[in-house]
Amino acid sequence: MPESMPAPTPAPECSAVPEAAPTPAPECSAVPTPAPECSAVPEAVPTREAEAGTAVATPAPAAGGGRLRRSVLGPLTAVVVLAAAAGGWYASGGGSPAGAAVDGTGEVVAPVARSLRLPWPDEGQASVAVEGIGSLGTRGEQKPVPIASLTKVMTAYVILKEHPMRAGAPGAAVVADQRAADESYSSVETTAPVLAGRTYTQRRLLELMMVPSGNNIARLLARWDAGQERAFVAKMNRAAAGLGMRATTYTGVSGMEASTRSTSDDQLRLARAAMKDPAFRQIVATASVTAPGTGATFRNTNRLLGHDGVIGLKTGSSTPAGGNLAWAATQRIAGTTRLVVGVVLHQRAGTTPAEGSAAAHEAGRALINTIRADLPAALTRAGGGGRR
């Protein structure tokens, strides 16, 4: 279909509209295209994620939110080797010594965590790890809970395993079907507009799924890969089992289903695996994306992106799931770039998606700020100096 062909008339909640239009929401909003190198998001933006039904302006969260708690952790004797490959930072280590504390992923908790007073959220679950250093611990009962659009991290992970892409490459060609086009505009879920019969690149569709959290795009990619969504969900669960995500069950590809459940430890395991793919890292670091043929531009729903070294990952919120955020940030420690990955789940569950989203961003920001401020000195005190 030619670029000049007009897109179907969008619903107000999810369309590119003039300034007099209703206020858009981040997981479903059309915004002016920012400068290419700018990934910073304004400190207060209208927000609505996942199944939110209304747009609400959410103030910026305070950097110091959350109650401080001290971890009680065991020693680490495993040897950790830092590998720099394909632009990433990944750790490998020996077995866990007897008596050592381990997190829910089975990784030994780094002794440096003992001297860190991390502002763990007072509710829900949270897990954090630093590649090349180890786990900084887990808080909250690791009971499977709904994860909303964090589901799309696994959707993207499976797509990229089945159809690998080089960083910066367009990937395979995908033709949008009528169903994806019909689902392009919705007042009850986040979507991104596509035109039936139009060919899109795999990369652009992954961006439309991960940046504005397009549920219809997740379903389109699942049908393209596996013929039907149920078959793709089976692939997701096999991938989860392969990663050791024992507390996770996927029942859909977008996160709309409250029956898709996981834990912060399992989602941390997935996030770390996904960030090893250079194409995935580029996609989740994308500040905004334009839907070809429609003129609609969408900003990344991750409001931490571009601040404090944050380079991804994914948001997700709904009333049953509360606010959820997987984040990844880089930090230079003693001349070495480290990848810090964290997950917070089930924040303000049972409230509005906007309130849950704001709480998840606040919890993530507090953890990131404390780690960036205190980890280098803590490593020096522990005798690691950031060189493990």
Side-chain angles (χ1 to χ4, degrees), residues 149-167:
S149 286
L150 256 62
T151 301
K152 297 184 179 80
V153 177
M154 180 58 86
T155 304
Y157 179 80
V158 173
I159 287 291
L160 287 169
K161 286 295 183 185
E162 298 285 325
H163 311 275
M165 287 169 43
R166 296 190 311 275

Side-chain angles (χ1 to χ4, degrees), residues 16-376:
V17 291
E19 292 188 0
T23 305
E27 282 213 356
C28 194
S29 60
V31 296
T33 305
E37 298 300 320
C38 178
S39 60
V41 180
E43 292 297 316
V45 295
T47 183
R48 191 198 73 186
E49 293 188 25
E51 294 83 6
T54 57
V56 181
T58 301
R67 188 175 67 191
L68 297 178
R69 302 179 184 176
R70 182 177 295 276
S71 302
V72 180
L73 305 165
L76 171 67
T77 60
V79 178
V80 181
V81 181
L82 183 69
W89 307 273
Y90 309 107
S92 60
S96 303
V102 294
D103 67 9
T105 68
E107 180 172 2
V108 178
V109 178
V112 69
R114 184 182 295 121
S115 62
L116 287 173
R117 294 180 60 86
L118 294 182
W120 298 104
D122 292 326
E123 60 182 311
Q125 308 172 20
S127 302
V128 180
V130 183
E131 302 298 347
I133 292 173
S135 169
L136 296 187
T138 292
R139 286 298 177 273
E141 181 184 3
Q142 292 297 294
K143 175 182 177 181
V145 294
I147 59 171
S149 286
L150 256 62
T151 301
K152 297 184 179 80
V153 177
M154 180 58 86
T155 304
Y157 179 80
V158 173
I159 287 291
L160 287 169
K161 286 295 183 185
E162 298 285 325
H163 311 275
M165 287 169 43
R166 296 190 311 275
V174 183
V175 178
D177 59 21
Q178 188 62 52
R179 179 177 171 184
D182 291 343
E183 294 175 348
S184 285
Y185 303 99
S186 172
S187 61
V188 297
E189 63 175 335
T190 54
T191 61
V194 291
L195 306 177
R198 184 185 180 98
T199 299
Y200 296 85
T201 65
Q202 176 185 345
R203 180 188 177 93
R204 182 55 56 92
L205 289 178
L206 285 168
E207 289 171 345
L208 289 171
M209 179 179 72
M210 298 298 284
V211 174
S213 203
N215 288 349
N216 62 320
I217 307 301
R219 295 188 286 264
L220 169 61
L221 285 168
R223 292 191 297 272
W224 167 68
D225 172 81
Q228 55 179 300
E229 293 168 35
R230 180 178 299 180
F232 190 86
V233 171
K235 289 187 177 185
M236 295 170 71
N237 284 306
R238 286 196 295 271
L243 290 172
M245 298 167 64
R246 297 181 180 88
T248 297
T249 302
Y250 291 101
T251 61
V253 302
S254 69
M256 277 289 287
E257 304 81 6
S259 51
T260 287
R261 293 172 175 255
S262 188
T263 64
S264 63
D265 278 336
D266 272 8
Q267 289 301 302
L268 180 67
R269 187 185 293 270
L270 170 61
R272 293 172 72 177
M275 287 298 287
K276 294 179 182 180
D277 188 317
F280 180 89
R281 289 201 303 276
Q282 284 189 339
I283 289 163
V284 296
T286 301
S288 66
V289 60
T290 298
T294 70
T297 298
F298 301 90
R299 178 178 296 167
N300 200 308
T301 58
N302 181 0
R303 298 198 302 277
L304 303 186
L305 186 66
H307 301 281
D308 302 315
V310 175
I311 59 173
L313 255 159
K314 187 72 186 74
T315 62
S317 62
S318 68
T319 295
N324 304 275
L325 176 67
W327 50 265
T330 57
Q331 183 174 8
R332 294 282 290 179
I333 301 174
T336 300
T337 300
R338 305 288 188 179
L339 182 69
V340 187
V341 185
V343 174
V344 292
L345 297 183
H346 220 47
Q347 303 297 297
R348 306 291 195 275
T351 65
T352 66
E355 185 174 344
S357 175
H361 279 85
E362 179 181 358
R365 187 193 301 267
L367 287 166
I368 291 167
N369 286 345
T370 299
I371 291 167
R372 287 176 64 83
D374 298 346
L375 181 58

